[in-house]
Amino acid sequence: MTTTLITGGTVVSATGRAPADVLVDGETIRAVLEPGSTILGTDVAASVDRVIDATGKYVIPGGIDAHTHMELPFGGTAAIDTFETGTRAAAWGGTTSIVDFAVQTYGQRIEDGLAAWHEKASGNCAIDYAFHQIVGDVNEASLASLAKLPDEGITSFKLFMAYPGVFYSDDAQILKAMQVSRDTGMLTMMHAENGPAIDVLAAQLVEQGKTDPFYHGVARAWEMEEEATHRAIMLAKLTGAPLYVVHVSAKQAVEQLAWARDKGQNVYGETCPQYLYLSLEDQLGAKSDEWGAFEGAKWVCSTPLRSRAEGHQDSMWQALRTNDLQMVSTDHCPFCMKDQKELGRGDFRKIPNGIGSIEHRMDLMYQGVVTGEITLERWVELTSTTPARMFGLYGQKGVIQPGADADLVVYDPNGHTSIGVGLDSSGAPTGRSHHMNMDHSAWEGYEIDGHVDTVLSRGKVIVDGDEYLGTKGDGRFLKRGLSQYLI
Ligand code: URP
Ligand code: ZN
Ligand code: ZN
């Protein structure tokens, strides 16, 4: 077994930072040592197989992205990253575990949907992976199947108050599924937008000739997110289910979560980089030579981007500081402009929903440290430690301590990362690049004052500077325990 010493760096955790050396033995962390330690009179550095010099750099637990959608079928197409391409891009960006969503579609058995997801992921991932379960058809049979999932290491499920006719659950279905959540300890994850009302507004906009991507965000008004978030909270209160609201973008939805938490209710929320940095105004202004106003399609996601003038982005950062929101995930759901997003030219309702960010989450959140929005420790907490605790992985993941998996990132605060467009629409590489399987980037032009230098996944160096050393199939399925946030 290979032994590795990461030496000279500053180890950062959710609770503090200190100069320390990290000793890795095989796949796990053996010890966190005083810098320059000796064992039995011998320099540790002289006795290991490999030394990684982290002088002047941060050593952090590998990122955990708890909201990804590899190959998600959506709008007549499917998210373009496979488990192979998506986990490779994740590794490049310092993310060493993902929790993806297995899908039960309408009329399908949970068991079959889950088996299909195992099939897609198994043998293809570069990093470790786990699943939540999407329940797209709540009925007596699926509820019975759902209750058995914790035995298989799946301890959370997602319901949709949006997307009627696709993944949508009505209040009666939500209530029944939440009763399973209460009885089993599974976390209910909620897509909180009032889908039926949104669909009416969207149809009216299209009838008025308002078909550009920008109107996606107009139809999905913040009132629809606030209302659904409140309804989800009340249904969770009634049933006693623990609730986790995904991709929160409206400041009014955060207010609902804060209100419920202040009353002692067991509710949580995540936001995503797009709701911290991007805005509806950006989408309105997007007009490239190639795509015209349709360029805004690259930012069509649900919940939608919100108005900067209304202050949603500032509220998201504030909620991350005050712990009204606990985590940042990407909701990575990438579609190319060509042949995918362009399905919605002339009708924004047909644009597949989703943004690709899996490679950039650690960097984009680190930029929040640079600009003073969050502390260094909060960066680690939001991107690794809380995801591990929230989703039953803590101890193995999300922390640098003896016995934990050696998922580690050496991050250079003096480095620089230019986020580029990847491939152009003819498939040719552009100057600055990313590694997601997309013909554009939602983050084109973003400059980060930091850099992911080295990434270890269970002790194996998978990214070393500009070199990718990972292997498809190295990533293992993670059986998760129950959330540490249950009360
Ligand atoms: O736009 C999004 N979020 N696409 C993925 C599906 C979902 O609702 O998470
Ligand atoms: Zn969703
Ligand atoms: Zn999602």
Side-chain angles (χ1 to χ4, degrees), residues 99-182:
V99 192
D100 201 84
F101 286 84
V103 179
Q104 179 222 13
T105 53
Y106 191 77
Q108 191 184 34
R109 287 175 355 121
I110 293 253
E111 289 84 348
D112 296 337
L114 178 57
W117 237 255
H118 275 296
E119 182 80 12
K120 286 176 202 279
S122 176
N124 288 319
C125 294
I127 56 171
D128 289 350
Y129 63 98
F131 295 145
H132 314 284
Q133 181 67 51
I134 282 176
V135 190
D137 190 358
V138 177
N139 56 48
E140 293 313 313
S142 64
L143 290 173
S145 304
L146 187 62
K148 295 186 193 136
L149 289 186
D151 296 340
E152 302 193 33
I154 295 163
T155 53
S156 44
F157 61 87
K158 182 176 177 187
L159 302 174
F160 291 81
M161 300 168 106
Y163 309 138
V166 188
F167 294 131
Y168 174 75
S169 290
D170 65 25
D171 291 350
Q173 291 172 308
I174 292 170
L175 186 94
K176 287 183 182 173
M178 282 186 169
Q179 288 170 339
V180 172
S181 172
R182 171 200 62 202

Side-chain angles (χ1 to χ4, degrees), residues 67 69 72 74 158 160 163 191 246-247 275 300-303 331 333 335 353-355:
H67 188 154
H69 297 287
L72 176 75
F74 199 108
K158 182 176 177 187
F160 291 81
Y163 309 138
H191 181 132
V246 295
H247 48 52
Y275 308 123
V300 164
C301 57
S302 296
T303 59
D331 193 8
C333 192
F335 297 98
N353 289 197
I355 286 183

